[in-house]
Structures are given as C-alpha cells and as structure tokens.
Amino acid sequence: MSSSPGASPVQLAGQVGERALALTGVLELDGGVLGEFSTYGNGQRVRGVLVRIGAAPRVTVRLIAALGEPLPALAEQLRDRVEDVLPGARIDVAITDVRRQAAERPSTGGPS
C-alpha cells in the first residue's frame, strides 16, 4: 500500500509504524523518554516514528530489535517496506536497544 495523496504526517507515521512492527525482528517502537520521537496530529500520536513532509521528505524510525537479529539487514528490510509509503524520502533507522524476544509484544505502532 502506498501513501494516499494528501495523507497527514500522523497517517503516514501510522503506516510506517505498522510496517515496522510487522517485521519479526522489531519488538517495539521507541518514542524516547518524553515522547520526543513521535508524530502527533489530529489528536493522535505514533511513538517511534517521525515524519517530516516538505521539499525533502524524511522518515525517522526508532526501534527496539530482537536479540540475535542481524541489525544492518533489519534496518534495510525496514527501509524497503517504508519506501512506498513516502517514495523518495530519506529513511533513517535508529536501533536504540536490543532485547530478548518475549512471548507477547505490545502493540505500539498505530496511532493512540
């Protein structure tokens, strides 16, 4: 699914977050201590995804990876999945922590 024309930054961030969490090596998205790495809009927040739209669109995804995942490959898989949400955008992936995978992981990707 590619981005719809006129989609808001928070809608795009929600799409990016869903794609990130669909990867088996991504345990959760990291919005930072105070939520500073989040996209806000329309009464919603998407933690761990910053979307900037403009002449030079940019997406930053901060995530916590599963222990044992090859991190460069995980970042590249995420970039590939995000590319059609904002074609031509710069896509930065920050892996902020690595943890053992729990039996259940929280759902934190969509707007809240």
Side-chain angles (χ1 to χ4, degrees):
M1 140 184 32
S2 62
S3 66
S4 57
S8 72
V10 76
Q11 290 169 325
L12 295 170
Q15 291 178 28
V16 170
E18 288 172 7
R19 289 167 189 254
L21 289 172
L23 290 169
T24 57
V26 176
L27 297 180
E28 62 185 271
L29 299 176
D30 179 9
V33 176
L34 301 172
E36 65 271 23
F37 295 99
S38 301
T39 300
Y40 296 87
N42 302 329
Q44 299 176 330
R45 174 180 67 177
V46 180
R47 292 177 47 85
V49 180
L50 284 173
V51 173
R52 294 183 182 94
I53 299 178
R58 185 174 182 175
V59 177
T60 304
V61 181
R62 288 175 40 110
L63 61 91
I64 298 171
L67 183 64
E69 284 293 320
L71 302 181
L74 180 63
E76 193 57 38
Q77 288 174 20
L78 180 54
R79 284 187 192 97
D80 289 344
R81 288 186 178 222
V82 171
E83 174 64 30
D84 66 325
V85 174
L86 266 173
R90 176 178 167 171
I91 303 165
D92 297 318
V93 178
I95 299 171
T96 60
D97 200 0
V98 177
R99 297 183 189 155
R100 291 182 193 263
Q101 191 163 1
E104 293 290 322
R105 68 179 186 184
S107 174
T108 59
S112 57

